[in-house]
Amino acid sequence: MRIGLFPITKHSIDNGVNSRELAYNTAMQTKACTLGKGGEGGQEELLLDGASVLLRKLGLDSFSRTEYENTHFCFGIHFLLEGNYKFISVENKTKVNINSGSYNLVQWPKIVGVEKIKGKEYVSVDIFFTKEFLEDLLGAETDSAFENFVDTSIKKPKYLWSEGRPISNKLRLLLLEILHCSYTGSARTNFIESQIRCLMIEVFLGKDNSMEEVGKNVTLSTLDKEVIDEVVSYIKQNLKRKLTIKELSEIAGFNTTKLKSCFKKVHQTTIFKFITQLRMEKARLLVLEENYTIAQASYEVGYSNPQHFTVAFKKTMGYLPSLLLTNLS
């Protein structure tokens, strides 16, 4: 039985430009994905007993539109690190939106709809699973909030949370380990599967991700959220520079107190911890994927002193950056 959303038509692009096929390897077999002209990247699919996993790292100049179908009731945890995601049901026009930097749990009935994704950097992890798969994974520890959420009679997608939860640093690290796994063959398949299970356990049972806690979060206005998104975009474009709260407050049009408060409500961490996390993630990718030295990577993310970078990296990532070079050898 196939679990989750699967494409039933070829991709199309909003602006009508020609599309091209992009080959990508899954843990099971080689498939093909069609992206718009100018698109690049790839995606992988891992099929498990009672679950399926879709990993995507894409670059899209325009919205990519694909018709998808789900043939069996299931659940999905959708993590969107970068980009824009929207699913629209063909029958009742119900929409599922996942915002950049957040995740949500969705109940998926039998459904046909159109998926629209966009992002110069589109990075996501989608895990579709049955209730039996989750019970087998968690045993008697299944969260009561999830039990109350389950409704197999639904006719349209249903969120667990009205608004997505921000991806915590701990979850982000797990996601990056999955997305940038350097193993191949069976080792890659087994590593990704084990990390997916760890990720789900952390989501459902981790102290920082309690499902009961979500409803207690203070929400922000749409306008304030958009402003915080603009600040995050500015931060990502300027990781090499020294960033100050005053500068970011001017970008936001908020005073420093309101900026820090709104930012923490959205991202569950302070601005400077968030910036440090982004810097370390970028440095890690520069070393692993661009063959930068530790010193070069540290400079590219705003550190003039490699020793200071090493201390910050160890504190943030939990290991010394020199271990990255071991993975490359």
Side-chain angles (χ1 to χ4, degrees):
M1 181 176 71
R2 300 181 74 182
I3 306 298
L5 296 170
F6 288 89
I8 55 176
T9 63
K10 290 185 177 180
H11 291 59
S12 63
I13 307 302
D14 277 354
N15 60 12
V17 300
N18 294 331
S19 63
R20 65 181 178 85
E21 287 196 346
L22 173 70
Y24 65 91
N25 292 321
T26 73
M28 308 297 291
Q29 57 186 319
T30 299
K31 295 187 176 181
C33 170
T34 307
L35 297 178
K37 187 176 181 180
E40 59 182 13
Q43 59 187 45
E44 292 180 281
E45 180 185 273
L46 174 63
L47 302 180
L48 307 175
D49 184 13
S52 65
V53 181
L54 183 62
L55 313 177
R56 294 194 269 200
K57 294 187 290 181
L58 308 171
L60 302 168
D61 294 330
S62 303
F63 270 108
S64 173
R65 299 163 54 93
T66 312
E67 192 171 20
Y68 274 77
E69 179 180 20
N70 180 44
T71 57
H72 298 87
F73 176 88
C74 67
F75 303 93
I77 305 179
H78 304 278
F79 300 89
L80 186 57
L81 286 87
E82 302 283 350
N84 295 292
Y85 176 91
K86 180 182 292 185
F87 179 91
I88 304 173
S89 167
V90 170
E91 181 179 354
N92 52 36
K93 304 304 180 185
T94 301
K95 295 181 180 179
V96 174
N97 294 296
I98 308 294
N99 297 320
S100 181
S102 67
Y103 70 99
N104 212 330
L105 177 63
V106 179
Q107 291 189 79
W108 290 100
K110 291 183 179 180
I111 194 170
V112 174
V114 176
E115 178 192 81
K116 298 179 68 175
I117 62 174
K118 183 181 181 182
K120 291 290 185 180
E121 290 184 74
Y122 185 91
V123 183
S124 66
V125 174
D126 299 288
I127 308 169
F128 297 95
F129 59 95
T130 63
K131 185 179 179 184
E132 291 74 20
F133 178 87
L134 186 68
E135 290 173 342
D136 181 63
L137 179 67
L138 303 182
E141 299 298 322
T142 306
D143 195 289
S144 60
F146 175 77
E147 292 293 342
N148 295 331
F149 169 63
V150 175
D151 181 3
T152 58
S153 66
I154 62 170
K155 301 298 182 182
K156 57 185 180 180
K158 177 183 176 183
Y159 296 107
L160 174 58
W161 308 305
S162 58
E163 297 184 14
R165 297 207 68 184
I167 298 174
S168 67
N169 287 345
K170 189 169 185 178
L171 292 178
R172 184 178 289 271
L173 288 176
L174 283 169
L175 290 165
L176 291 173
E177 289 292 332
I178 293 166
L179 286 162
H180 299 288
C181 172
S182 59
Y183 301 123
T184 59
S186 296
R188 180 179 181 81
T189 301
N190 292 328
F191 178 84
I192 291 176
E193 180 177 349
S194 67
Q195 292 299 94
I196 287 293
R197 293 177 182 276
C198 289
L199 179 67
M200 291 183 67
I201 290 171
E202 180 61 29
V203 166
F204 283 94
L205 302 181
K207 293 181 180 179
D208 295 335
N209 305 295
S210 170
M211 297 191 173
E212 299 289 0
E213 295 289 324
V214 177
K216 301 177 183 179
N217 290 345
V218 179
T219 59
L220 298 179
S221 69
T222 300
L223 181 59
D224 284 351
K225 287 181 181 177
E226 289 176 351
V227 169
I228 297 302
D229 287 343
E230 290 176 7
V231 171
V232 169
S233 178
Y234 181 83
I235 290 171
K236 290 178 178 178
Q237 294 171 26
N238 293 277
L239 290 176
K240 195 173 181 178
R241 296 179 50 247
K242 181 178 180 180
L243 297 168
T244 66
I245 296 295
K246 181 180 179 182
E247 177 185 359
L248 297 178
S249 296
E250 291 173 354
I251 296 296
F254 293 166
N255 61 43
T256 57
T257 300
K258 181 176 180 180
L259 174 63
K260 289 188 285 187
S261 174
C262 289
F263 194 96
K264 191 162 189 177
K265 287 176 183 177
V266 172
H267 292 284
Q268 306 294 300
T269 190
T270 66
I271 293 173
F272 282 120
K273 285 183 179 179
F274 183 84
I275 292 173
T276 300
Q277 182 74 39
L278 290 182
R279 283 175 167 155
M280 299 307 114
E281 290 173 7
K282 181 176 180 179
R284 178 180 179 275
L285 295 181
L286 288 174
V287 173
L288 291 178
E289 299 185 357
E290 304 293 335
N291 295 319
Y292 277 55
T293 66
I294 300 298
Q296 289 171 331
S298 66
Y299 176 75
E300 287 299 317
V301 296
Y303 286 82
S304 58
N305 188 324
Q307 290 183 330
H308 292 168
F309 167 78
T310 296
V311 172
F313 190 96
K314 175 65 166 62
K315 183 176 181 180
T316 303
M317 308 297 275
Y319 57 90
L320 292 171
S322 56
L323 289 178
L324 298 175
L325 301 178
T326 302
N327 289 339
L328 290 175
S329 60

